[in-house]
Amino acid sequence: MTTKHLRIAAIIAVLLQAGAAGLASAASPGKGVAIGTTFPDHFPVIGNFYLGKPVIGFGSDIGRVERIPVIFLHGNNDSPYPTACNPFGRVQAFAQFFLDHGYHPSELWGLGYQGDQCDLAQDNTHRSGISHTTAVAVPMLRQFVQAVLDFTGAKRVDIVAHSLGVTVAREWMLQDNAYRKVRALVAIDGPNHGIIDCSPNPANFYQLVSGGGFTPSSAVCDEYGSDHTQLLGVLNAGGETPGPTRYLVIRNKPGTPDFVYNSLPDGSLPGVPAEDRDGNPHDFTESAALASAKTIDLTGQGQYDPVLSTSHLGILNSPDTRGAALQFLTSLPGRPDQESGD
């Protein structure tokens, strides 16, 4: 082969490599993309009527929908991403982890069903008020799931939820018999059997305005102040893990700090008495459990909460949590165009 032919061969090789790189880039539309703080154009506007504003969240139309879309739900007093009034908002980072590990932006969605939390500056008791209840959140989730299905063309979603987001998802699924719309629920430290923060005991500082106003008669405590509230009684009565939805519980190991479920100090937060909203002694340490669900118990999660050092918030940021959720969802069969059971 002459020198001229060698040069031509080298040029062709370079062109082929460039073409292959371009194809690889096109096949990986999430590469170099960050999870944002908006919805794509033409995505339906969903209202939060208690705040008088549209819901906030994130989503994208970048990339083909090749996996079942994932909806990320935050917990009470949180937001889908950090805002001027809320330094937490870690479900966005959770979604970024999925993006960095093979998901496309079009497959990752987040719903902020309590707004940016700036209304708390005017009245801190909104933390326990009606605008933060499951009853208010469920209609927003219902509309959001349908909007994601319509926008992506998928027939099912997966849900990754933290704390209150877990029971919001479960209550919507129960009300609508929507189990065939949800392939899997990753339930991270959810209040499935109540919370410890609603007792009338004077040592329960969460009753104070500065603590959020979690009095026994507050709206959130009416839903979660014991294991036998009307909401939880109905939600759990017919079975805690109805199929065909698959379930994974990731929780702080019972007996370790978690300010929502036990009386131990959790990071910078002191403990409160282990009582229900009626003032009766009650053990809430198993509250995050779901009968028959695969369960992962974690310890030492306070190291992942950079603000309060709490295990309840830290578990959402944990690399163990994110890795377990990703492994669980990617191990399940199913395509986005399949109906449940196909």
Side-chain angles (χ1 to χ4, degrees):
M1 182 177 290
T2 66
T3 301
K4 180 180 178 180
H5 290 148
L6 287 172
R7 288 175 179 171
I8 292 173
I11 291 170
I12 292 173
V14 170
L15 290 173
L16 288 173
Q17 289 174 357
L23 289 173
S25 177
S28 304
K31 188 175 182 181
V33 177
I35 298 295
T37 58
T38 60
F39 299 118
D41 293 340
H42 311 301
F43 188 78
V45 176
I46 298 170
N48 183 326
F49 296 105
Y50 278 84
L51 295 179
K53 301 176 181 179
V55 300
I56 62 174
F58 56 80
S60 177
D61 56 6
I62 298 175
R64 294 179 59 187
V65 179
E66 298 175 331
R67 297 174 179 82
I68 291 177
V70 183
I71 291 175
F72 293 86
L73 296 177
H74 61 75
N76 193 23
N77 304 311
D78 204 355
S79 53
Y81 44 76
T83 71
C85 301
N86 178 48
F88 301 101
R90 305 299 176 176
V91 296
Q92 180 192 40
F94 209 131
Q96 185 68 44
F97 178 83
F98 275 46
L99 183 66
D100 294 342
H101 288 80
Y103 274 76
H104 295 168
S106 58
E107 299 163 340
L108 302 169
W109 299 81
L111 170 63
Y113 55 90
Q114 294 178 351
D116 57 11
Q117 304 294 346
C118 289
D119 61 310
L120 300 181
Q122 285 73 47
D123 186 351
N124 196 51
T125 65
H126 286 173
R127 294 180 183 276
S128 60
I130 190 169
S131 64
H132 282 213
T133 59
T134 298
V136 167
V138 163
M140 286 180 268
L141 178 60
R142 174 181 295 117
Q143 294 178 64
F144 189 73
V145 171
Q146 191 59 53
V148 169
L149 291 174
D150 292 342
F151 194 86
T152 62
K155 298 188 185 292
R156 290 181 290 169
V157 297
D158 291 331
I159 296 177
V160 174
H162 175 240
S163 197
L164 185 68
V166 173
T167 40
V168 168
R170 292 184 60 218
E171 177 65 12
W172 161 66
M173 291 159 66
L174 175 65
Q175 287 186 18
D176 290 14
N177 191 23
Y179 303 104
R180 292 191 176 278
K181 288 186 178 180
V182 181
R183 181 184 65 160
L185 171 64
V186 178
I188 304 169
D189 220 32
N192 299 300
H193 302 278
I195 61 177
I196 200 174
D197 313 290
C198 296
S199 85
N201 193 306
N204 175 25
F205 64 87
Y206 292 107
Q207 296 177 94
L208 305 175
V209 171
S210 60
F214 287 84
T215 63
S217 60
S218 64
V220 170
C221 289
D222 187 54
E223 292 183 336
Y224 293 100
S226 76
D227 64 344
H228 55 275
T229 63
Q230 182 177 11
L231 172 74
L232 294 178
V234 173
L235 182 58
N236 294 322
E240 298 175 16
T241 51
T245 304
R246 308 284 188 89
Y247 299 83
L248 172 66
V249 169
I250 305 174
R251 64 179 181 174
N252 288 303
K253 183 178 181 180
T256 64
D258 192 316
F259 70 84
V260 179
Y261 307 124
N262 65 49
S263 57
L264 297 173
D266 189 10
S268 62
L269 299 179
V272 297
E275 297 177 359
D276 65 18
R277 67 175 183 175
D278 300 316
N280 299 317
H282 189 81
D283 181 3
F284 287 101
T285 57
E286 292 282 350
S287 186
L290 288 173
S292 302
K294 178 181 179 182
T295 301
I296 297 174
D297 290 338
L298 299 177
T299 60
Q301 299 302 291
Q303 63 182 306
Y304 303 115
D305 174 4
V307 181
L308 299 174
S309 299
T310 64
S311 295
H312 183 69
L313 300 177
I315 195 170
L316 178 63
N317 309 331
S318 168
D320 292 331
T321 300
R322 293 173 181 173
L326 179 69
Q327 193 280 327
F328 176 66
L329 294 183
T330 55
S331 70
L332 297 177
R335 301 191 312 269
D337 61 342
Q338 285 181 310
E339 299 279 1
S340 178
D342 286 356

